Amino acid sequence: PMRAFAFLLRPRYLGLCGYLYYQSRSDVASAMPPPSNRLRVVFIRHGESANNVLCNISWEAYLKGRIPDPPLSEKGEKQVEATGEYFRTGHPFFNRVDKIIVSPMTRALMTAQPIARALGMNPVVWADLYEVGGCFGGQFGGYYGEGGLTGKQMAAKFPGYIIPDEIGEKGWYPKGLAKESEEHAQRRARCLAERFRDMAGGGDGLVTVLVVAHFDTIDLVMRDLLEINKDVKELPPGSVVQSFNTSMSCLELSSDGEGPARLLFQNKVDHLPQNLVAWEKLGIV
């Protein structure tokens, strides 16, 4: 906690906070027109999962009952339906949505369904967009990897999703990998950030993509795109950018790929009914 507090006092972070304040003011934003070609990336955290429910009970309950690839909880299903309804009835922050990208983990695939249905789109699965730690079982060092859904299972459960060929009969999780290390997760997040930068360079006009992913992964990728990672690399995943279940955070990248992304908003949950946000946990589980 003291390390995190010390980070908050750093000039660069304080500058970022001020930047967010000014970005929220229409008079200032209108005085700084954005570049014509740019990529808007909207990160959406998955709805509450069965493992999240266990975390809310106790750490002991989580360790005892945790499963490698949990589905959404009943509350999580309500959250994702509310998110889908938001996009169905109009989404004032986005003129249009050009693509939906989704993690291969079950809770993220389930979260993307109502959104895709509302927009009439086919989500694209990125096999490397999984949560930090990966699809693993076991505890206290006795970890083992599980393959996750196979391509056929994914296609049957989530028809219409665009599934890469690399997700085959043994699932999507890398063979031989047990619980992913933080170092591996940092490298993977860097590769994901580069994929978004490449997308920005190939766009025409304003392109908006929705990215349905996970608490820690969103944190690491946003750190990289905002170019603050060198200041906070020693902090564990999930400790900088916080995301409520089904919250939205939006970055904008210019087509030249130069400089940090612009942070337009973060952890937005006003599309959810109040009773679907875990305010007693600061919304974060």
Side-chain angles (χ1 to χ4, degrees):
M2 288 304 295
R3 292 165 67 196
F5 181 71
F7 162 68
L8 293 175
L9 295 180
R10 291 183 182 179
R12 184 163 183 169
Y13 187 81
L14 293 173
L16 178 61
C17 292
Y19 180 74
L20 295 180
Y21 168 73
Y22 283 113
Q23 282 296 315
S24 70
R25 292 179 51 191
S26 60
D27 57 334
V28 175
S30 63
M32 300 176 62
S36 57
N37 293 336
R38 57 202 192 278
L39 175 70
R40 194 167 282 177
V41 184
V42 184
F43 292 98
I44 303 176
R45 187 190 173 199
H46 62 79
E48 183 187 75
S49 72
N51 284 353
N52 292 154
V53 172
L54 294 174
C55 278
N56 276 334
I57 296 171
S58 69
W59 183 244
E60 290 73 20
Y62 171 77
L63 291 177
K64 183 178 180 180
R66 179 194 175 278
I67 57 177
D69 190 17
L72 295 177
S73 67
E74 182 179 348
K75 181 178 180 179
E77 291 180 357
K78 292 178 181 177
Q79 289 170 332
V80 304
E81 288 299 331
T83 305
E85 183 66 9
Y86 169 79
F87 283 98
R88 187 188 70 80
T89 56
H91 34 89
F93 285 103
F94 323 112
N95 292 327
R96 70 180 191 189
V97 173
D98 298 281
K99 192 173 188 177
I100 303 173
I101 299 168
V102 62
S103 155
M105 303 195 90
T106 298
R107 56 196 184 274
L109 297 168
M110 293 176 68
T111 299
Q113 266 187 320
I115 301 170
R117 192 163 53 240
L119 295 173
M121 300 181 71
N122 301 107
V124 178
V125 179
W126 280 12
D128 56 349
L129 192 59
Y130 55 88
E131 177 60 310
V132 172
C135 192
F136 70 94
Q139 53 182 291
F140 306 122
Y143 301 118
Y144 57 90
E146 293 206 356
L149 293 176
T150 67
K152 288 184 179 179
Q153 290 172 330
M154 202 175 288
K157 291 185 176 183
F158 304 97
Y161 282 39
I162 300 172
I163 302 168
D165 293 339
E166 65 191 278
I167 301 179
E169 295 180 357
K170 295 185 178 180
W172 52 265
Y173 195 53
K175 183 179 178 181
L177 187 62
K179 182 180 180 182
E180 181 188 40
S181 68
E182 288 187 13
E183 292 77 16
H184 187 281
Q186 289 274 5
R187 293 195 299 271
R188 180 168 57 86
R190 207 157 39 239
C191 291
L192 288 166
E194 284 305 311
R195 291 178 76 178
F196 290 120
R197 291 189 179 99
D198 290 343
M199 289 177 67
D204 183 18
L206 174 62
V207 175
T208 300
V209 298
L210 307 183
V211 181
V212 183
H214 306 269
F215 189 97
D216 289 351
T217 301
I218 291 172
D219 174 36
L220 292 184
V221 176
M222 286 185 63
R223 291 190 206 183
D224 195 289
L225 292 173
L226 290 167
E227 298 186 5
I228 62 171
N229 201 41
K230 67 180 181 180
D231 289 337
V232 298
K233 192 172 182 178
E234 71 276 11
L235 297 178
S239 60
V240 178
V241 178
Q242 308 283 280
S243 299
F244 299 1
N245 287 116
T246 65
S247 72
M248 303 182 197
S249 299
C250 184
L251 298 180
E252 193 170 271
L253 290 76
S254 62
S255 59
D256 60 15
E258 296 296 324
R262 304 169 71 222
L263 181 49
L264 303 185
F265 58 82
Q266 199 267 320
N267 213 12
K268 174 175 132 37
V269 289
D270 56 0
H271 59 286
L272 293 178
Q274 294 290 299
N275 66 326
L276 292 183
V277 181
W279 297 111
E280 72 281 3
K281 301 282 186 180
L282 297 180
I284 301 164
V285 292

